[in-house]
């Protein structure tokens, strides 16, 4: 109301001045996004229809896009990435929700300590944690040492050089690194829910399970949607872990799409055209999955 | 809450806490132990720290990488916070025509994966002579939709009366932003600072592409290089990993409280 009155009083000139100042404030950020995100994206789209090296690029139509369907390594990388997505993201988000719900309890002691410890992994650099997990799960690493000393295994397990265990270690490490991060978002979301609602539910004799599904889940939906989109986005772009934990091995069975695109572009003979086509596949997947998640998030309203 | 359930909660939280902290404890303990002791499963801190340090600096230019990482990350944090908060404030405060459409486009940039822009960015930056420079390091991620959104969200709670009063007092629009908005939004700035500094410090793929000479080496690149040879020197490796992790852990601890508040502000709305 006050704003409207102000605008009426000062009339057209103030609005014009505000308009100009507004654009000056927005300009640096908006220009940077245009030049550093959208412009390169369009260039990548154009590149994806070309072939060749450096200045001698030539148009090839859809060749790059057709080639990827016969590219076993690409299909492998796509499959690996989706495996991480389907297994790791749900486990991590559910764990984060459980932890946040527990920490939201007013009667709980040492809340700050638990929260700090569980968030700690997110303060570790990505390359660091990849190397820590590589060392822990090495043949002569601590995990083998521990399992052998308690007699669960009689000789070292080759965690990182066997496909199934190498994938397990990557998923395990991802859960370790990102659960606390998502938990912080849920805790923030839970703070917006009036705590008396929970107390009332407890007095009415609602079980934690009912309370969770009837109160927490519906009210946290926007936050859950946000974390689901962020995690999907992040998983489709996994790079540091694939490079530093398993080096994509054994036999490329843990290679991620971003790692493959990096190898195609910056290792050996660069193939910018084909790599750009693959990068565009990631872009389209990110868009489709975000759209699907938003639709799913919407219909329950 | 029944007693049984409460005990269940505590057990679950204690397991989660140990699980979260153990790899980092192992990293710290191993940085002070001899590689053979690390392999033998020694978990208590040892006295081999100085020897590990000597081996580490013999193998890699740690001082240089630390200096570079700090330089790039601080520069990124300062510029990024300024640009994004200015934009977030502008989006919320001014009645600019078409700004909602612009905001929608800005948010779309969140969906653009880095893999889809890195090749053209590399081409652009190498023809502009920005390889191996601080500007090259920071330019692609100065302006991020997430930070703009966060500052816009917090500007929502900034009272318009304060702006009007400041205008009457003769402050210009930029002074209002700098002298009124900036000091009142400390917790948002602290949260944004934590996120930006951590992202900049951790950044690995982009520096790996554009930092082509040894002089612009960063800490994540350095520790990724520490794997030569059949026998891993776990002691010096973990010391390197510790040095690469400590700055972000310290920043997190210093700003932890503000960080949680800032995220709460960003999620609200």
């Amino acid at each position: 109301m006050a704003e409207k009155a102000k605008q009426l009083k000062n009339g057209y000139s103030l609005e014009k001045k505000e308009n100009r100042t507004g654009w000056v404030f927005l300009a640096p950020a908006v220009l940077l996004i245009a030049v550093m995100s959208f412009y390169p994206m369009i260039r990548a789209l154009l590149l994806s229809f070309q072939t060749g090296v450096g200045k001698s690029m030539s148009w090839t139509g859809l060749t790059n896009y057709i080639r990827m369907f016969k590219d076993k390594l690409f299909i492998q990388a796509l499959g690996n990435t989706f495996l991480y997505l389907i297994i790791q993201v749900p486990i991590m988000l559910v764990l984060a929700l459980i932890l946040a719900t527990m920490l939201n309890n007013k009667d709980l002691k040492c809340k700050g300590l638990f929260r700090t410890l569980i968030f700690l992994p997110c303060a570790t650099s990505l390359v660091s944690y990849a190397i820590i997990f590589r060392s822990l799960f090495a043949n002569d690493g601590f995990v083998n040492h521990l399992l052998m000393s308690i007699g669960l295994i009689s000789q070292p397990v080759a965690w990182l050089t066997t496909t199934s265990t190498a994938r397990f270690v990557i998923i395990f490490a991802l859960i370790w690194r990102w659960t606390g991060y998502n938990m912080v978002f849920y805790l923030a979301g839970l703070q917006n829910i009036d705590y008396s609602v929970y107390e009332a539910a407890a007095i009415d004799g609602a079980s934690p399970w009912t309370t969770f599904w009837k109160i927490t889940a519906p009210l946290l939906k926007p936050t859950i949607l946000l974390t689901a989109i962020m995690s999907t986005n992040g998983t489709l772009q996994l790079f540091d872990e694939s490079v530093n934990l398993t080096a994509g091995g054994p036999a490329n069975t843990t290679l991620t799409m971003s790692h493959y695109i990096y190898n195609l572009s910056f290792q050996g003979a660069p193939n910018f055209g084909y790599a750009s086509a693959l990068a565009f596949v990631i872009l389209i997947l990110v868009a489709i999955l975000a759209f699907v998640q938003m639709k799913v998030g919407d219909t329950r309203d | 809450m029944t007693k049984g359930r409460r005990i269940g909660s505590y057990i679950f939280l204690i397991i989660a806490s140990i699980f979260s902290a153990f790899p980092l404890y192992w990293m710290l303990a191993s940085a002070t132990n001899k590689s053979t002791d690390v392999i033998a499963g020694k978990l208590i801190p040892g006295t081999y720290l100085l020897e590990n340090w000597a081996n580490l600096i013999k193998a890699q230019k740690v001082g240089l990488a630390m200096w570079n990482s700090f330089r790039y990350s601080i520069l990124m944090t300062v510029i990024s916070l300024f640009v994004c908060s200015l934009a977030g404030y502008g989006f919320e405060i001014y009645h600019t025509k078409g700004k909602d459409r612009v905001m929608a486009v800005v948010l779309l940039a969140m969906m653009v994966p880095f893999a889809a822009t890195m090749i053209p960015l590399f081409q652009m930056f190498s023809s502009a002579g920005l390889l191996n420079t601080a500007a090259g390091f920071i330019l692609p991620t100065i302006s991020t939709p997430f930070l703009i959104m966060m500052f816009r969200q917090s500007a929502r709670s900034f009272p318009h009366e304060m702006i009007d009063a400041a205008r009457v007092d003769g402050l210009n629009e930029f002074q209002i932003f700098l002298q009124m908005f900036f000091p009142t939004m400390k917790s948002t700035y602290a949260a944004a600072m934590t996120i930006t500094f951590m992202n900049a410090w951790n950044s690995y793929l982009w520096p790996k592409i554009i930092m082509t000479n040894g002089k612009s080496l960063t800490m994540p690149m350095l520790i990724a290089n520490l794997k030569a040879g059949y026998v891993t020197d776990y002691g010096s490796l973990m010391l390197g990993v510790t040095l690469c992790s400590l700055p972000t852990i310290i920043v997190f601890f210093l700003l932890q409280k503000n960080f949680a508040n800032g995220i709460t502000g960003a999620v609200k709305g």
Side-chain angles (χ1 to χ4, degrees), chain A residues 3 18-19 23 26 29 33 40 43-44 105 109 114 116-117 119 123 125 128 135 138 140 145 172 176 237 279, chain B residues 1 10 17 19-20 40 87 95-97 105 110 114-116 119-120 123 143 202 208 223 234 238 245 248 252 256:
Chain A
E3 275 164 51
E18 275 216 347
N19 205 357
W23 282 116
L26 302 188
I33 286 186
R43 275 187 58 162
N105 191 318
K109 292 193 179 76
F114 285 134
T116 304
L117 286 174
F119 187 79
S125 107
S128 290
S135 310
D140 53 5
H145 173 82
F172 189 76
W176 180 81
Q237 301 191 50
Chain B
M1 193 154 82
Y10 278 118
S17 302
F19 172 69
S20 299
H95 304 275
T96 312
K97 269 183 219 147
V105 176
M110 252 177 168
F114 190 65
I119 296 167
Q123 293 177 321
S143 178
N202 289 342
K208 199 170 154 73
I223 58 168
Y234 285 111
M238 282 306 130
S245 290
T248 49
F252 168 70
Q256 188 186 20

Side-chain angles (χ1 to χ4, degrees), chain A residues 27 35 76 95 130 198 251:
Chain A
V35 178
Q76 172 87 65
L95 265 176
Y198 287 105

